[in-house]
Amino acid sequence: MTNIPDHEPPLPAGVDLGFERTVPRELAHRRQLGEVFVADSARVGEGEDDFVMSFQIPRAHSLWSDRDPAHHDPFASAEAARQAIFVMLHRHVGVEVGLPFSLQRISFRVEDPAAYRDDDRSPLEGFARYRIVERSRRGADVTGMRLAGTIGIAGRRAMTLTAQLAFMSRADYDVFRAFQRGQKPVATARATPVTRLAPAAVGRSIPRNVVIGTPRHAQGGGEPLLALDQGHPAFFDHDYDHIPGPLMAEAMRQAAVAAADAAGLARPADALAVGLTAKFLDFAEFEADLVCEAKVGDGTDDEGRLPVAVVLRQFGKPVVEGRVDLLPDPRRSQGRRVPAATATEED
């Protein structure tokens, strides 16, 4: 990624962000106060397309604390970064609250796994910094946007990110969704009852946080299916007309962990998800099965990362496709480290 200068401090001179309170929940697209992770925000430079947000993840969060206790979950900071996009757009870019828009593509890479070590005392907190690197327009209207960003934790560049957004009016969105659903056999679809995998099989301990499983009456074998729980307090913080992206990203991660375990290449209790690339090709509907296919790569790279290709399918077509990178033993392999003196928020 490019466009954010090298050797830039996590917070530029003159920018001071706090952690005393969260932003208003509507800015983060959350309904529950406890699901808002962004604390503060600022534009970097007058008139610049450069923004920084502070965030903090509660230590006792029912989803993000359900993990290997040695490390905070990088997916938790990715969720904070997702919320930071909404805050940036509504507070600083002028995008009105309620305007429909979607993440068409998102990717992140943990640059410094050691930044996620848990000292059993401190919450996962830091700064998300984004630069708008491209805008798509139709006349005077912005229809799309490409972002590049970083996550800084404890003075270290912990993660790099990219995101591609699409915008439309409420009327256009309603017409688009009606057309999409009309092209699918939604009316006759029947979702298969699913038995969730054991929490230990996907690196979880709380059964409700397991989001994939097997057909309840199957004899074994086959790809896992999404185990849909529309009452989950984190994934369904508010109403949706489709399966939400964060839930599908978690399904990708759990499918990758289960596949790596089946291949004998990673223990679910240890595997740390250190990368995600997800291209959202379609909206996933509630009425039908979402099949989670995962294929493990040939082996780890020189940083000890194991790539797992993942595709989520519905009605036989890809809805999401991408890759999850796992660090099978993060206690031994900490990846590339950035010295604190030169840790940056650059892209």
Side-chain angles (χ1 to χ4, degrees), residues 260-283:
D261 181 34
L265 295 174
R267 295 178 62 247
D270 298 331
L272 189 69
V274 292
L276 171 74
T277 298
K279 184 177 182 181
F280 296 91
L281 305 171
D282 197 356
F283 287 93

Side-chain angles (χ1 to χ4, degrees), residues 14-335:
V15 176
D16 183 19
L17 299 185
F19 296 89
E20 289 77 19
R21 61 185 63 85
T22 64
V23 299
R25 58 186 183 175
E26 67 175 5
L27 295 184
H29 291 196
R30 300 278 86 185
R31 189 176 71 82
Q32 302 171 78
L33 296 176
E35 292 297 322
V36 179
F37 302 148
V38 180
D40 203 355
S41 69
R43 183 189 295 269
V44 179
E46 192 66 31
E48 294 292 329
D49 283 342
D50 194 357
F51 310 87
V52 63
M53 282 66 60
S54 58
F55 70 88
Q56 184 185 99
I57 312 297
R59 284 186 53 77
H61 193 278
S62 62
L63 176 63
W64 301 120
S65 67
D66 184 20
R67 54 176 169 76
D68 166 24
H71 290 83
H72 294 288
D73 188 348
F75 267 56
S77 63
E79 168 58 22
R82 188 182 74 92
Q83 293 185 22
I85 292 174
F86 304 144
V87 174
M88 176 194 77
L89 292 174
H90 296 317
R91 177 174 276 180
H92 301 289
V93 181
V95 176
E96 65 180 282
V97 174
L99 181 73
F101 64 90
S102 61
L103 282 171
Q104 294 186 317
R105 184 182 181 96
I106 189 166
S107 66
F108 71 77
R109 184 182 193 276
V110 172
E111 302 291 346
D112 186 358
Y116 288 90
R117 288 175 180 156
D118 188 351
D119 63 5
D120 294 326
R121 296 290 185 274
S122 306
L124 177 62
E125 69 178 23
F127 302 98
R129 186 166 179 183
Y130 284 110
R131 177 163 289 177
I132 301 173
V133 297
E134 183 181 348
R135 284 180 169 88
S136 302
R137 298 181 181 275
R138 182 181 297 120
D141 297 328
V142 175
T143 58
M145 194 174 289
R146 186 165 61 89
L147 309 175
T150 56
I151 292 285
I153 298 172
R156 312 162 79 117
R157 188 177 68 152
M159 179 183 286
T160 52
L161 311 101
T162 62
Q164 183 77 38
L165 313 176
F167 302 85
M168 62 185 74
S169 70
R170 170 57 63 180
D172 286 346
Y173 177 83
D174 291 342
V175 169
F176 177 65
R177 285 291 287 133
F179 173 78
Q180 273 197 326
R181 286 177 60 82
Q183 303 303 302
K184 305 171 186 177
V186 175
T188 58
R190 295 293 182 272
T192 302
V194 173
T195 298
R196 290 184 177 88
L197 298 185
V202 293
R204 294 291 191 179
S205 60
I206 300 173
R208 194 173 195 181
N209 290 334
V210 178
V211 303
I212 62 173
T214 56
R216 190 167 299 168
H217 305 297
Q219 299 300 311
E223 304 290 349
L225 304 178
L226 181 73
L228 191 61
D229 174 9
Q230 294 189 56
H232 193 285
F235 293 123
F236 287 91
D237 168 80
H238 57 278
D239 293 334
Y240 292 89
D241 69 351
H242 57 276
I243 297 173
L247 175 57
M248 293 194 288
E250 179 64 19
M252 292 176 70
R253 187 248 291 268
Q254 293 189 14
V257 169
D261 181 34
L265 295 174
R267 295 178 62 247
D270 298 331
L272 189 69
V274 292
L276 171 74
T277 298
K279 184 177 182 181
F280 296 91
L281 305 171
D282 197 356
F283 287 93
E285 313 296 347
F286 290 121
E287 294 89 342
D289 291 342
L290 191 66
V291 182
C292 308
E293 303 174 1
K295 184 178 180 181
V296 182
D298 294 334
T300 58
D301 63 15
D302 58 1
E303 293 183 329
R305 299 169 187 241
L306 178 68
V308 184
V310 183
V311 179
L312 306 186
R313 298 183 187 275
Q314 193 171 66
F315 302 117
K317 298 181 179 180
V319 174
V320 185
E321 58 185 18
R323 192 179 83 182
V324 176
D325 292 335
L326 302 174
L327 198 58
D329 191 353
R331 293 168 181 81
R332 293 186 178 183
S333 176
Q334 291 299 332

